[in-house]
Amino acid sequence: MNKTRHSNFYPAFLLLLIYTSVSTSQPSKLVIAHRGASGYLPEHTLASIALAHGMGAHYIEQDIVLSKDDQPIVLHDIYLQAVTNVAEVFPGRARTDGKYYAIDFNLAEIKRLKVTERSDIEKNTVVYPERFPSHQSTFQIPTLSEEIELVQGLNHSTGKSVGLYVEIKAPAWHQQHGKDVSQVVLKTLSDYGYTKRDDLVYVQCFDPFETRRIREVLKTDLKLVQLIGSNRPNSAIDYEQMVLPSGLKLVAGYADGVGPSMRHIVKGVQKDGRPILSSLVHDAHKLNLEVHPYTLRADRLPPQVIDFDHLLRIFCLEADVDGIFTDFPDLAVDFLSNCESGLRLADKTISDRAAAWLDQHLRMNQIQAIGSHNSFKEAIDPSLMQILRQIEPDTADSLDYEHVSLTEQLDLGLRQLELDLFYDPEGGRYANPYGITAVKEMNLPPGPTYDVEGKMERPGFKVLHAQDIDFRSNCLTFKDALKEVRRWSEAHPRHTPILITINTKEGVIDQPNFVQPIPFDGQAFDRLDQEILAVFEMSELIVPDRVRGDYQTLETAIIADQWPTLKESRGKVFFALDAGQDKIDIYKDGHPSLQGRILFVNAKEGQPEAAFRVINDPVTNRQYIQDLVLKGYLVRTRADAETKEARTGDKTRLEAALDSGAHFISTDYYLPENKFGTNYRVQLPTQTSVRFNPNLFSDNLSSSLLE
C-alpha cells in the first residue's frame, strides 16, 4: 500500500461513505438565537426571547450596553434611534452627531420607548422589510435581569436547559464615559448563579483587550468567546492577523472559542454549490477553540447559496463549526434534528457499511490514541513527600502526580498503559518500603495502610515506580493489572487494540536501607511471558509471531503492511518492552526475530525484531517519528514529562506529538490538571478514543466510526 499524508489511496466510495457519515451526525451543534428570534420579532425583545426559547434554541444572545444609571440593558447599539421611537419621545436629547446614546438616558426613560424593527437611519428605510412590520408594536427594551429571569423561568416550566450568550458592547467607549460594562455584566450574571465554567452561559466581545481583561483581571471562570470582525482604519485590533494560526494561538490563551463572521470561514461558493473553506475551523480546533460564526439568515443568503438548508449544510456539516448564530433558530434546529434522525434511520446503513469497510481494510498502525505514563502510580504520602521535598525538591516535583485505576483510564478512552515491573521471584522483597519507616521515625502522620491483603509477600512481578520512595500502586502485582485489563477488554469487545508497555526496573538507589532490585535475566523474561499467558489466552493477544506471519523477519513484515486489521485486532491487547538494547538482547536470545515471544521490543531500525519504537521527545524528533510511521513502525511518544508541562500549561510538546502521527501519546494528564491551576489536559482533537492517524489521513474523516 502506497502511504501518503492523505487518504487518497482509499477507494472513492469509502471516502463518500465516511463523508456522508460526517455530514449527517452532528447532534452536538449549538443553535444560538441571534438577538432572540430576530427573524420573526423585533430584536432583543422579551417576546423575541420567549419565541427563540420555544423554537428550541440552545443559547439566546444578549447584547449589553449601560444606561445612565448603570443598568445593563439589552440593545445591539450604543445608541437608540435605529430600533426605537426615541426621537419622538425625547426630541432634542440627541448629541451633536445626531445620535441618541443609551448612556444619556436612565432606565425609567428608556422604558418609555417603543421598540420596533431595525431601520437604516441614514437611508430612512427598514433594514428587513419582510420581517415584523415596523412601528406596529408596543415592545420595550429589556434589562439583562429581565431576560435572565425570563429564560430561567421558561427553563423551569418547560424542563429545557437554554443558555445565555452575552456580548459586551463597546467596552472602551463605556470606559471613556467612566463605566465598566464588563464588571456590571459579570456581577449581574453572578447574582443569578452564573459563575462557573460549566454554567450555561458564554460571554463574548469584539475587543480582544477586554476579553483578555475579563479572564485575567476580572477573573471570571465563565466560557469566553473572542468575536472576530473586520479591520477598520486606525484601529488597534487586527482581525485578519487574529484568524491566522499564530493569532488563534494567542486567543486560545484566554478564550474558549471564537466567533468569526461567515466570510472568515467560507471564502466563496462554487457553481456546483461546494464551499471554498479557509483553514480557520481546523486551526481553531487544533487549539481546542470552539467556533461559532455569525450570522446565518434565511432572508439574506450569500451568493451561490441556494437556500437556507444549503447555508446550514455548508457551515454545520462541511465547515464543521461548533455552533451558529442565526436569526431563524427554528429552521436551524429542524435542520440539525433531521440530520440526526437521518443518521439514526436512513443513513444508519451508510455508517454501518463504512465502519465494516474500515474493519476489513484499516490496520492497527493507521490510527492514533492517547495513553498514560506510569499508569499504576498513586500519590506519594504527604509526609513522605515532605521528607523527599526537603532532600530532593526537583525529584519531588517530578513525582507529584497520580492516576485513577486502570479500569477508569480505559473507560476514559485511553488505549495505552504503562507498567513498571520489579522481579520478585521469592516474594516479600518490596513488602516493607523504607519510606513508611522513615515517616514513623520522624513522627510524621502516617499514610494509608500499605498492602492490606499481603500481596507483596507473594512471589511474582510487582508494580511500582521507585522502590522505598514511590511505591504506592493501584495494582500492586503484575497479575492484578493483567486481570483488570482483561476484565475490561472482555466487557468491551469492540475496543481498538490496547498497548501495555513494560519497563523492567532494576536501578539501584544509593541510600541506606533501600532495597536492591534483582536484575532481569533470561529466566525473569521467561517468567514474564508465562505470567501474561497465565491470564490471557493467546487468541486475546497480538504477538510478534502473528504480525511476522510468513515473512523472514518482523521488520520486513511491518514494512510490508502486515499489522493486523481493525477487525483482527479489536478486543485484543499487546505488550512492548521499553528497555535498552542490553535487555532486548537478553529477551530475544534464543528467539530470532522474537519467535515464540509475547512482547514486542523497542529495537532500532535494521534489526530483525524491529517493529515498535519509543521516541519520548516529539519536539526534537517530530520528523523522525513521521518517517517511522510512514515506514510502518508503531511509535509511542510522550506529551508531557515530570509535571513540567502541567505546571505551565505548555502544550508545545502535545501539539508536536499529535502532529507527528505517533500511534500512542502518553500523558499523566488525560483529566484536567487542577493542582497547578493550569487546567492542562491531553486529549485527541476529535475528542474520541482513537482517530485516523494524521500522518496518513486528511482531517475530514469521522473518527467516531473507529470505536
Side-chain angles (χ1 to χ4, degrees):
M1 185 181 291
N2 176 32
K3 295 184 178 69
T4 67
R5 185 164 179 79
H6 299 290
S7 55
N8 58 337
F9 56 85
Y10 270 157
F13 80 88
L14 173 64
L15 293 181
L16 176 62
L17 293 179
I18 297 174
Y19 178 77
T20 303
S21 175
V22 173
S23 298
T24 55
S25 177
Q26 302 292 351
S28 61
K29 305 295 185 190
L30 298 181
V31 174
I32 305 154
H34 181 246
R35 308 181 203 166
S38 52
Y40 304 97
L41 287 169
E43 62 191 45
H44 283 319
T45 59
L46 292 180
S48 177
I49 302 305
L51 184 59
H53 193 287
M55 287 176 169
H58 303 120
Y59 284 82
I60 301 174
E61 184 186 39
Q62 296 80 28
D63 295 343
I64 305 300
V65 301
L66 295 183
S67 65
K68 186 176 182 178
D69 49 351
D70 292 326
Q71 295 300 308
I73 61 172
V74 186
L75 185 71
H76 175 65
D77 308 302
I78 58 175
Y79 45 82
L80 295 160
Q81 67 270 23
V83 293
T84 74
N85 62 341
V86 64
E88 298 174 8
V89 179
F90 297 105
R93 292 280 296 274
R95 292 192 183 184
T96 55
D97 60 2
K99 295 180 179 179
Y100 295 79
Y101 289 88
I103 206 170
D104 295 334
F105 297 82
N106 61 40
L107 182 60
E109 291 172 326
I110 288 172
K111 285 296 185 179
R112 292 174 57 188
L113 306 178
K114 290 183 179 181
V115 174
T116 187
E117 189 61 52
R118 175 168 292 276
S119 297
D120 185 323
I121 302 302
E122 294 181 0
K123 297 180 180 178
N124 196 28
T125 58
V126 177
V127 175
Y128 300 102
E130 301 302 319
R131 297 189 181 182
F132 197 89
S134 180
H135 296 289
Q136 295 187 25
S137 60
T138 56
F139 303 115
Q140 289 184 322
I141 293 176
T143 65
L144 177 57
S145 294
E146 288 170 340
E147 288 212 359
I148 292 174
E149 289 173 2
L150 177 60
V151 171
Q152 289 187 343
L154 288 171
N155 283 348
H156 178 78
S157 59
T158 64
K160 294 181 180 179
S161 297
V162 177
L164 309 174
Y165 211 118
V166 183
E167 180 182 350
I168 306 294
K169 303 294 290 190
W173 187 86
H174 278 90
Q175 288 168 11
Q176 290 171 6
H177 290 74
K179 296 182 182 296
D180 191 336
V181 61
S182 298
Q183 196 166 49
V184 172
V185 167
L186 293 178
K187 172 64 166 58
T188 304
L189 291 173
S190 176
D191 289 345
Y192 286 94
Y194 298 101
T195 59
K196 304 186 298 300
R197 177 180 174 80
D198 293 338
D199 290 335
L200 292 177
V201 61
Y202 287 86
V203 176
Q204 59 179 339
C205 187
F206 275 102
D207 187 335
F209 307 107
E210 186 68 8
T211 314
R212 189 160 197 159
R213 173 178 172 264
I214 292 170
R215 175 70 77 211
E216 297 177 356
V217 178
L218 300 183
K219 301 291 185 183
T220 185
D221 288 328
L222 298 175
K223 294 185 289 291
L224 296 184
V225 171
Q226 178 61 60
L227 288 167
I228 301 175
S230 300
N231 282 359
R232 296 181 179 179
N234 303 318
S235 173
I237 303 172
D238 189 343
Y239 290 116
E240 298 310 310
Q241 282 293 120
M242 192 179 293
V243 299
L244 299 177
S246 57
L248 290 171
K249 188 172 183 179
L250 292 175
V251 172
Y254 60 85
D256 302 284
V258 291
S261 66
M262 291 193 296
R263 71 171 183 84
H264 284 118
I265 295 174
V266 178
K267 296 301 185 182
V269 180
Q270 303 175 75
K271 291 182 178 180
D272 63 1
R274 298 177 62 187
I276 303 169
L277 300 177
S278 73
S279 65
L280 189 152
V281 176
H282 172 265
D283 295 338
H285 284 171
K286 287 183 70 174
L287 295 165
N288 293 321
L289 288 170
E290 297 180 45
V291 183
H292 301 161
Y294 62 89
T295 302
L296 279 66
R297 298 182 171 99
D299 51 0
R300 289 287 175 90
L301 297 173
Q304 301 293 129
V305 173
I306 301 170
D307 54 25
F308 196 50
D309 273 10
H310 184 200
L311 185 64
L312 290 166
R313 179 170 291 276
I314 287 173
F315 280 91
C316 294
L317 308 183
E318 299 186 54
D320 193 28
V321 301
D322 304 286
I324 55 162
F325 285 86
T326 178
D327 292 350
F328 300 88
D330 57 331
L331 302 182
V333 169
D334 286 347
F335 173 83
L336 293 173
S337 178
N338 289 336
C339 287
E340 184 179 357
S341 62
L343 175 66
R344 290 196 306 265
L345 301 174
D347 292 342
K348 185 68 165 66
T349 56
I350 294 177
S351 177
D352 288 345
R353 286 165 58 197
W357 198 96
L358 288 169
D359 267 14
Q360 292 285 349
H361 296 84
L362 198 71
R363 296 187 179 274
M364 60 179 280
N365 65 316
Q366 294 172 331
I367 58 179
Q368 187 179 61
I370 301 299
S372 59
H373 159 255
N374 289 342
S375 313
F376 54 89
K377 185 179 173 335
E378 293 184 344
I380 297 176
D381 301 344
S383 295
L384 183 55
M385 178 62 83
Q386 177 183 334
I387 297 172
L388 181 60
R389 201 171 290 284
Q390 292 172 350
I391 301 171
E392 292 283 351
D394 291 342
T395 299
D397 282 350
S398 72
L399 297 177
D400 194 9
Y401 64 93
E402 60 186 299
H403 288 293
V404 297
S405 71
L406 303 184
T407 297
E408 291 174 281
Q409 292 179 49
L410 294 170
D411 283 340
L412 289 167
L414 274 62
R415 295 296 175 262
Q416 176 257 315
L417 304 172
E418 180 181 71
L419 301 176
D420 289 358
L421 300 188
F422 286 76
Y423 186 36
D424 188 17
E426 303 300 326
R429 195 172 190 84
Y430 304 97
N432 299 291
Y434 179 69
I436 295 176
T437 303
V439 167
K440 291 180 180 178
E441 290 175 347
M442 298 188 70
N443 294 317
L444 294 172
T449 303
Y450 183 63
D451 187 22
V452 176
E453 300 178 18
K455 294 180 179 181
M456 301 299 280
E457 296 286 355
R458 304 167 193 167
F461 296 95
K462 304 304 190 297
V463 181
L464 59 145
H465 185 225
Q467 66 271 27
D468 296 299
I469 301 174
D470 197 5
F471 48 83
R472 293 198 180 270
S473 171
N474 59 37
C475 46
L476 292 173
T477 71
F478 189 34
K479 282 186 178 179
D480 282 346
L482 295 174
K483 290 176 181 178
E484 186 173 354
V485 173
R486 187 173 188 261
R487 283 194 300 270
W488 188 92
S489 179
E490 287 181 321
H492 302 82
R494 287 279 298 167
H495 71 76
T496 49
I498 298 168
L499 166 64
I500 300 179
T501 55
I502 302 296
N503 289 323
T504 52
K505 303 300 284 283
E506 54 186 52
V508 174
I509 300 177
D510 188 15
Q511 292 291 333
N513 303 309
F514 276 42
V515 175
Q516 292 194 10
I518 302 174
F520 277 72
D521 55 13
Q523 184 181 47
F525 280 126
D526 288 343
R527 290 187 177 182
L528 177 58
D529 281 0
Q530 292 164 10
E531 201 152 302
I532 294 172
L533 291 176
V535 175
F536 285 95
E537 300 289 339
M538 186 65 77
S539 60
E540 297 169 329
L541 302 174
I542 299 168
V543 297
D545 287 344
R546 164 65 185 84
V547 177
R548 187 178 55 257
D550 295 330
Y551 284 79
Q552 185 174 0
T553 69
L554 184 57
E555 185 181 47
T556 55
I558 61 103
I559 290 175
D561 290 318
Q562 293 305 301
W563 288 106
T565 64
L566 280 188
K567 182 177 181 180
E568 294 167 333
S569 59
R570 285 194 186 279
K572 291 183 171 57
V573 177
F574 69 111
F575 295 81
L577 178 62
D578 180 7
Q581 190 62 48
D582 56 339
K583 287 294 177 287
I584 292 174
D585 290 341
I586 296 172
Y587 185 70
K588 72 177 184 178
D589 185 35
H591 301 269
S593 197
L594 298 178
Q595 291 179 20
R597 279 303 197 187
I598 302 301
L599 279 65
F600 294 85
V601 296
N602 181 25
K604 293 182 179 179
E605 307 93 287
Q607 301 184 61
E609 58 278 357
F612 169 80
R613 294 304 318 275
V614 173
I615 309 295
N616 284 324
D617 182 357
V619 176
T620 303
N621 299 297
R622 184 186 313 206
Q623 186 60 54
Y624 178 39
I625 295 174
Q626 290 176 345
D627 292 342
L628 288 171
V629 172
L630 291 177
K631 289 176 183 177
Y633 294 89
L634 278 180
V635 181
R636 194 226 71 176
T637 191
R638 291 184 65 177
D640 41 72
E642 298 179 339
T643 74
K644 293 178 181 177
E645 287 76 13
R647 291 177 184 274
T648 62
D650 183 7
K651 293 191 174 182
T652 303
R653 186 167 177 166
L654 167 60
E655 291 168 0
L658 289 166
D659 185 63
S660 73
H663 303 89
F664 299 97
I665 300 171
S666 177
T667 179
D668 293 319
Y669 302 98
Y670 42 84
L671 294 172
E673 204 305 303
N674 295 318
K675 180 184 296 185
F676 307 128
T678 61
N679 212 37
Y680 175 82
R681 185 181 188 181
V682 171
Q683 57 185 342
L684 294 177
T686 54
Q687 297 185 7
T688 53
S689 296
V690 295
R691 70 166 176 168
F692 288 90
N693 194 299
N695 213 2
L696 302 169
F697 298 92
S698 57
D699 296 326
N700 64 337
L701 304 181
S702 177
S703 294
S704 62
L705 291 170
L706 300 177
E707 185 181 328

